[in-house]
Amino acid sequence: MGEKGSAAAGKLWQGALMLGMAAAVSKLIGTLQKIPLQNIAGDAVFGIYNAVYPFYVLLLFLATAGFPVAVSKFVAERTAVGDEAGARTILRISAALLAALGIVFFAALYLGAEHVASWIGQRQTARAIQSASFALLLAPVMAALRGYFQGKQNMLPTAVSQLAEQTVRVATMVALLIHFTNIGASADWIAAGATFGSAAGAAGGLAVMIWYRIRDARGGISIAGANAAAEAARKEPLWTTVRRLVRYAIPVCLGAIAVPVIGIVDTFTVPRLLQHSGMAGLQALAEYGVYNRGLPLVQLVGMVVSSLSVTFVPAMAQAAQRGVQAAYTAQIHRTLRWFGLTGCAASIGLALLSEPINVMLYTNDAGTDAMTIVSFTAAASALTIVSSALLQAIGRAKTPVVHLLLATAVKIGLNVWLVPLWGINGAALAGVVAYVFAALLNTGALLRAAGIRPDFAADLGKPALALAVMAVAVWAAKLGTASLLAAIGVAGTRTAAAAVALTGVAVGVAAVGFVVIATRMMTERELLAVPLLRKLVPRAKRSVDFR
């Protein structure tokens, strides 16, 4: 691969690692915010919040989702040929388009909140819908700036922005939650305070991106370089650039929104179906809140995978621009293998530890069966997200759109059938089937498009061994820790549940890591491409003969 290729691979993995860590911390903060929300305000407010939030996310994705990927792709292409002025033109165009879309969606959501609440079938959600809408004025421009820096393969601004956004969002939500609870506000006002955190978080994240953009502009480029780049940029008319950007962004956007669309199906069907089964309005919302307990943990996996996957789009775009097909074909194969293993490990671990996790986070074990079933969406959603990003990177942006919309139809049909029979457990099972369906379609299309023939020993055999060892280790750790805590008389407490859950997670990660190293699932070259592991490779080679 050469020094240049190794440096590029190192930069790619470093950026992926940075975004992955930022996404994990950000989502962890976002997950933790739901603990005080449910613990202090109860399952009814938790249900209102979870009924509104997917709808807000859908509109946010409609206004922004395709553009960061499109911007990163076009900026990467311009940067590859030294056209810095063209890259900045892409940023200006996308920022203007996204700002306009944000204003339109804000107005629609704020003014139409009562109508949306009636569609959901719960009028108590109207205030929370209006409160969440303010974020749509800020988040779209932030998304354009993130795409610009990702296209330049500078992941630090996005990582810092993610952390700032989540920190401000959660701090605002908790402060308003405590305030409204102390004054005895109604459930709809408390939920509105919680959703307003999204607007405050968007303001914090945008402020960080603007600061980085000002620093980037001050850095500038040389006069000669600027003149040459400007001359290159003038070769393509403005409206041609706009059309190309929008044409690429729309299918990517449709592919991205299909994921929250699967979630929003629950918003518009589960509370209604529960009411039709005989539950009162607030009781149905409370049950819906219980159903949503497991989703933040699954979304944590999806967020990390999504953040990691976008780092490969600009790199693959540059490889395609330079005609290096072998580079991105190998990257696709490797990426599918590792994200598949990560998603499956997360699903098995969450399923085995669902009861202690439920008690640790939400004080009781209500909805543990639903949480166990929901856990298995982590693997399928991880593969769906990464395969969608990879299909987009190789120019097949419309393919995941079709697959995910078909999966949405599957989810709707199964909800209508299974929720009246099994309640929230039926909704959880419907989600698993829908995501598995999408993952299989996407992965098959990607392998065919890239001309990849699976290596069953490397792609299935060794990962299956790692997962089996992990499952046994987690189960043994769970039983052993629980028995130890029972022997010293602290079993049955929330602290005990936390000890069991966290011990199981630590043992599971260690078990997977051990099998990966012992079976040489990761080559020396792959290890050297990950900056944090470079110093560990010489030590590992003393005990393991990498190939």
Side-chain angles (χ1 to χ4, degrees):
M1 192 160 75
E3 290 183 13
K4 226 172 175 183
S6 296
K11 186 175 181 181
L12 175 64
W13 275 107
Q14 188 173 28
L17 206 59
M18 185 184 300
L19 270 189
M21 291 173 66
V25 174
S26 298
K27 193 60 187 177
L28 182 60
I29 294 171
T31 300
L32 292 177
Q33 71 145 13
K34 296 188 178 184
I35 299 172
L37 176 60
Q38 187 273 342
N39 290 182
I40 298 172
D43 285 322
V45 171
F46 195 55
I48 294 173
Y49 178 89
N50 283 294
V52 170
Y53 197 69
F55 189 79
Y56 154 73
V57 170
L58 173 64
L59 286 185
L60 182 63
F61 270 50
L62 275 171
T64 67
F67 279 89
V69 176
V71 171
S72 71
K73 179 182 187 298
F74 288 115
V75 167
E77 290 176 349
R78 296 296 175 91
T79 302
V81 297
D83 184 7
E84 291 291 337
R88 295 181 185 190
T89 298
I90 295 294
L91 173 61
R92 287 194 295 272
I93 292 170
S94 61
L97 286 172
L98 287 173
L101 279 173
I103 292 169
V104 169
F105 283 124
F106 160 74
L109 194 57
Y110 186 87
L111 298 175
E114 293 287 347
H115 294 293
V116 175
S118 67
W119 297 341
I120 295 173
Q122 303 291 339
R123 294 196 175 273
Q124 302 97 320
T125 61
R127 282 196 178 95
I129 292 169
Q130 288 183 320
S131 177
S133 67
F134 288 97
L136 294 168
L137 294 172
L138 305 168
V141 178
M142 177 176 64
L145 286 163
R146 286 177 176 176
Y148 170 76
F149 283 105
Q150 288 167 11
K152 296 172 77 68
Q153 296 199 38
N154 181 3
M155 308 302 170
L156 180 62
T158 298
V160 176
S161 174
Q162 285 179 343
L163 292 173
E165 180 185 6
Q166 284 287 51
T167 301
V168 173
R169 182 168 80 89
V170 173
T172 303
M173 190 216 76
V174 172
L176 291 175
L177 174 64
I178 293 171
H179 170 70
F180 282 125
T181 303
N182 286 342
I183 65 174
S186 59
D188 58 340
W189 273 107
I190 297 174
T195 56
F196 186 75
S198 297
L206 178 59
V208 170
M209 295 308 303
I210 290 173
W211 182 74
Y212 273 106
R213 179 65 188 97
I214 292 171
R215 284 187 60 190
D216 178 69
R218 285 176 180 169
I221 53 177
S222 69
I223 299 297
N227 290 337
E231 183 63 33
R234 278 195 290 270
K235 292 179 182 178
E236 182 174 81
L238 175 64
W239 287 108
T240 302
T241 303
V242 172
R243 284 195 300 271
R244 287 181 64 230
L245 185 64
V246 171
R247 192 161 48 220
Y248 187 87
I250 286 176
V252 176
C253 177
L254 292 174
I257 68 166
V259 175
V261 161
I262 293 177
I264 207 171
V265 165
D266 288 331
T267 293
F268 287 102
T269 59
V270 175
R272 283 181 177 275
L273 291 168
L274 291 173
Q275 281 185 272
H276 289 163
S277 299
M279 291 186 182
L282 275 179
Q283 184 186 3
L285 281 173
E287 186 72 358
Y288 186 61
V290 170
Y291 165 66
N292 276 276
R293 289 183 178 190
L295 293 181
L297 300 173
V298 171
Q299 290 163 359
L300 172 60
V301 179
M303 176 69 82
V304 173
V305 169
S306 181
S307 296
L308 286 170
S309 65
V310 300
T311 64
F312 296 105
V313 175
M316 289 183 184
Q318 287 187 352
Q321 186 83 359
R322 295 165 179 157
V324 190
Q325 182 175 353
Y328 68 74
T329 299
Q331 187 64 63
I332 288 171
H333 196 176
R334 189 161 46 241
T335 302
L336 281 176
R337 182 192 305 166
W338 285 105
F339 282 123
L341 176 62
T342 301
C344 289
S347 285
I348 293 171
L350 289 174
L352 290 171
L353 299 170
S354 56
E355 183 176 0
I357 288 174
N358 198 6
V359 176
M360 176 182 73
L361 297 180
Y362 304 111
T363 75
N364 58 50
D365 62 355
T368 293
D369 289 342
M371 183 181 284
T372 302
I373 298 169
V374 165
S375 298
F376 289 99
T377 63
S381 65
L383 273 175
T384 300
I385 291 167
V386 74
S387 58
S388 294
L390 293 172
L391 283 165
Q392 291 156 11
I394 64 173
R396 300 294 184 95
K398 295 180 182 179
T399 302
V401 177
V402 175
H403 295 166
L404 286 166
L405 292 177
L406 287 173
T408 301
V410 170
K411 172 66 170 166
I412 293 171
L414 289 177
N415 267 10
V416 172
W417 176 34
L418 297 176
V419 173
L421 291 176
W422 298 327
I424 59 175
N425 292 344
L429 181 59
V432 174
V433 174
Y435 275 113
V436 168
F437 180 66
L440 291 174
L441 291 178
N442 265 13
T443 304
L446 182 61
L447 294 176
R448 288 193 300 273
I452 296 172
R453 298 184 65 181
D455 179 344
F456 289 98
D459 298 336
L460 296 177
K462 291 180 179 179
L465 175 61
L467 294 172
V469 170
M470 187 208 77
V472 172
V474 170
W475 184 257
K478 175 183 174 182
L479 292 181
T481 306
S483 299
L484 178 61
L485 293 171
I488 61 177
V490 294
T493 65
R494 196 173 183 183
T495 302
V500 172
L502 296 177
T503 300
V505 170
V507 169
V509 171
V512 170
F514 172 79
V515 177
V516 165
I517 293 173
T519 61
R520 304 181 184 90
M521 287 174 62
M522 198 170 195
T523 66
E524 182 178 351
R525 178 177 290 181
E526 290 171 335
L527 287 170
L528 287 171
V530 183
L532 291 182
L533 298 180
R534 285 176 187 155
K535 294 181 180 179
L536 300 178
V537 173
R539 299 176 189 174
K541 287 180 70 176
R542 295 171 192 165
S543 56
V544 179
D545 180 23
F546 289 105
R547 294 177 182 173

